[in-house]
Amino acid sequence: MAPLPSPLLADQFAPRFEFGRTDHVVVDADPTSAFQAVHDLDLTDLHGFLVTAAVRLRELPETWRERNRRTPRQRTRLTINDLAAGSDWVLLGEQPGQEIVFGAIGKVWQPIVKWVPVEEARDFMDFAEPGYAKVVCSLSVLPYGQRRSLVSAEMRVVLTDPHAWLSFRRYWRISTPFIGVISRAVLRTVKHSAEAGSLR
């Protein structure tokens, strides 16, 4: 009998959520290589006009945007760990070789987002002030057959009160296409990196 899969780490932070999206890609590389590609993911490698515009406007920290006004030769890498260390996002946890989870709390529907400073995973879990969205993002890797991997990108959103739910619902309808573009770009980049690495 095959072993049961490990529980998702994302379930600890958003076991129940009001909005969400999940995308998957099959990678021609073993899970170790695929997860290494997730861990090393450089968000500045997400190409395309929509990806660049959406990420720069809504997700990346101001310090990164300032640094990247330099010439292309001075471009700075931006991994998930860098994102958590230099912005309002926090690294919530990691299951080595399987899943990495990060999140943020804010009024994301506002033109200028009001973020809540979060230093630790426990602060994220305990936060319950009305009027906010708690956004949990997960990148996970599972074996897919004998030699391949299934990489998943998931976003879960928990709203702290009904008013926030109404505000976020309007925002979600508009932003969903852009979120999908970013999610699929992340998976394409991970797939390319993992498969290239497995050929070395």
Side-chain angles (χ1 to χ4, degrees):
M1 179 180 295
L4 292 174
S6 301
L8 284 173
L9 188 58
D11 291 337
Q12 295 183 20
F13 302 96
R16 297 175 182 173
F17 50 97
E18 288 84 8
F19 298 88
R21 179 188 177 93
T22 307
D23 294 287
H24 310 276
V25 68
V26 175
V27 176
D28 289 320
D30 62 271
T32 299
S33 300
F35 188 78
Q36 188 64 49
V38 167
H39 212 275
D40 295 343
L41 173 67
D42 182 357
L43 296 173
T44 64
D45 281 339
L46 304 185
H47 300 297
F49 171 76
L50 287 177
V51 172
T52 301
V55 172
R56 286 187 177 178
L57 288 175
R58 301 296 293 185
E59 304 299 337
L60 300 185
E62 183 63 30
T63 53
W64 181 87
R65 281 181 281 176
E66 290 295 331
R67 288 200 302 268
N68 280 270
R69 287 176 182 152
R70 305 170 187 168
T71 62
R73 293 181 181 178
Q74 297 174 300
R75 192 193 73 170
T76 304
R77 278 176 52 83
L78 184 71
T79 66
I80 292 173
N81 284 331
D82 295 331
L83 182 64
S87 73
D88 297 290
W89 292 86
V90 61
L91 184 62
L92 296 175
E94 179 178 341
Q95 294 191 82
Q98 298 180 21
E99 184 183 11
I100 188 167
V101 180
F102 54 102
I105 301 173
K107 298 185 178 184
V108 297
W109 51 86
Q110 294 183 346
I112 299 178
V113 179
K114 180 181 178 181
W115 298 104
V116 175
V118 179
E119 296 184 2
E120 298 181 358
R122 174 54 60 181
D123 299 331
F124 186 96
M125 295 178 68
D126 292 343
F127 184 87
E129 182 178 334
Y132 287 89
K134 300 171 68 173
V135 182
V136 175
C137 296
S138 166
L139 291 171
S140 61
V141 178
L142 288 173
Y144 193 79
Q146 293 185 343
R147 301 179 181 177
R148 296 188 294 172
S149 306
L150 181 70
V151 181
S152 301
E154 182 175 15
M155 172 184 284
R156 303 180 183 186
V157 183
V158 178
L159 287 311
T160 56
D161 73 345
H163 179 73
W165 185 90
L166 288 172
S167 297
F168 186 84
R169 182 180 65 172
R170 291 190 289 268
Y171 167 78
W172 184 253
R173 290 173 178 171
I174 297 171
S175 65
T176 295
F178 295 96
I179 292 170
V181 167
I182 294 171
S183 178
R184 291 189 295 272
V186 165
L187 293 177
R188 282 197 305 270
T189 303
V190 168
K191 176 180 173 70
H192 175 78
S193 177
E195 292 178 350
S198 68
L199 294 176
R200 294 172 188 167

